[in-house]
Amino acid sequence: MAGRKSILYLFDVDGTLTKPRQVITEELKSFLLEKVQSKVAVGLVSGSDYAKISEQIGGEDVVENLDYVFCENGLVQYRGGKLISSESILTHFGEAKLQKLINFALGYMSKIELPAKRGNFIEFRSSMINICPVGRSCSQEVRDEFVKYDAVHKIRQKFVDTLTEEFKGSGLMFALGGQISVDVFPAGWDKTYCLNHVANESFDEIHFFGDKTESGGNDYEIYNDSRTIGHKVTSPDDTKQLLIQCLSID
């Protein structure tokens, strides 16, 4: 886009551009496409797959117009709506090792008592495994209830600590994913992986905006990476206000 600075703004999705698992507002979507992308290159980097990202950002016609879409921490890369590259956790680790992880996780979750449990506790993605104690098919009401319960009882953090100890030396990494789950991926396959795809693009600066930037959160590594300028946000509204300041948008 003519006249743009040689700068890349990378955005987490959940909690940064949208409320968790919700759809971006029309106002923020227009602001991102018309105001922000007219000044800098714009990319998304999320632990979710392409279908979920497209749904949350307002449809495939929106994501196709962004400069970069990095799914599953950047292990799956799209540009202009076309798949450019992807990695496979199954190929990387093999069936036996992943089944050991899945069996352990299911056994651990079977012993947790929560206010409610639903279905889809293990979601197998191309480059990672997403583990959800409450079940990803939960309603918004059950999700909200779990978020409050987890904030007090640290269900996910205890799960991460247990998995980290159980699979020490395995090459598997564990991080809090979004509001209700735990992401499992090979060492080095965190969100910093997406930076490999833009290493030769000669950007003067790469900025990252995310909400899970604390240690153990899935934005932590890229937020603290020496190649990025990290910005911690607390909500989509907070993101917009920060962008107005950063880009001097009226």
Side-chain angles (χ1 to χ4, degrees):
M1 212 176 278
R4 291 198 306 185
K5 297 178 181 178
S6 182
I7 295 174
L8 171 62
Y9 277 19
L10 286 172
F11 297 90
D12 166 54
V13 178
D14 263 9
T16 300
L17 293 178
T18 76
K19 292 181 179 180
R21 288 302 300 136
Q22 301 298 305
V23 176
I24 192 171
T25 64
E26 287 296 322
E27 180 184 7
L28 185 54
K29 180 176 69 175
S30 297
F31 178 79
L32 192 68
L33 293 174
E34 297 169 14
K35 299 286 189 178
V36 178
Q37 197 163 299
S38 68
K39 292 178 175 287
V40 297
V42 171
L44 307 178
V45 53
S46 169
S48 295
D49 59 24
Y50 187 76
K52 286 190 178 70
I53 293 173
S54 296
E55 175 189 344
Q56 286 186 260
I57 299 300
E60 288 196 33
D61 59 323
V62 178
V63 292
E64 287 174 4
N65 283 304
L66 296 175
D67 295 288
Y68 304 95
V69 177
F70 301 122
C71 316
E72 301 183 36
N73 290 352
L75 275 298
V76 180
Q77 175 191 188
Y78 281 81
R79 295 193 192 186
K82 296 180 180 179
L83 177 64
I84 303 300
S85 62
S86 66
E87 299 288 345
S88 166
I89 190 172
L90 179 58
T91 301
H92 189 79
F93 277 123
E95 184 68 38
K97 192 170 189 176
L98 294 184
Q99 276 203 36
K100 183 179 179 182
L101 164 71
I102 291 168
N103 290 341
F104 180 86
L106 289 171
Y108 181 93
M109 288 188 289
S110 72
K111 298 177 178 67
I112 300 174
E113 291 190 7
L114 300 173
K117 281 186 177 181
R118 297 299 179 259
N120 192 11
F121 300 101
I122 304 282
E123 186 171 87
F124 198 100
R125 299 174 184 171
S126 176
S127 64
M128 68 168 66
I129 294 175
N130 183 266
I131 302 173
C132 183
V134 68
R136 295 197 65 87
S137 60
C138 64
S139 65
Q140 188 63 47
E141 181 181 1
V142 171
R143 169 190 279 265
D144 293 342
E145 186 178 31
F146 174 79
V147 170
K148 293 177 183 177
Y149 190 83
D150 187 48
V152 175
H153 298 280
K154 308 297 181 186
I155 298 298
R156 293 185 302 151
Q157 188 57 59
K158 291 175 183 176
F159 198 180
V160 166
D161 293 343
T162 300
L163 288 165
T164 300
E165 181 62 30
E166 178 69 21
F167 292 93
K168 184 185 299 183
S170 68
L172 287 167
M173 302 296 290
F174 307 92
L176 301 181
Q179 284 188 310
I180 61 174
S181 59
V182 171
D183 287 337
V184 184
F185 48 86
W189 286 22
D190 53 65
K191 286 185 178 178
T192 60
Y193 194 94
C194 77
L195 300 176
N196 299 327
H197 301 311
V198 296
N200 296 322
E201 300 292 330
S202 300
F203 285 113
D204 294 330
E205 297 175 359
I206 299 175
H207 294 247
F208 171 76
F209 299 79
D211 65 317
K212 296 293 189 298
T213 59
E214 68 285 349
S215 180
N218 62 1
D219 295 329
Y220 177 78
E221 289 83 4
I222 190 170
Y223 173 79
N224 289 284
D225 194 279
S226 62
R227 294 168 289 180
T228 67
I229 299 170
H231 304 274
K232 179 175 176 57
V233 297
T234 58
S235 67
D237 288 341
D238 188 35
T239 300
K240 182 179 179 182
Q241 291 306 311
L242 185 56
L243 289 170
I244 289 172
Q245 294 174 22
C246 290
L247 295 172
S248 301
I249 296 174
D250 296 328

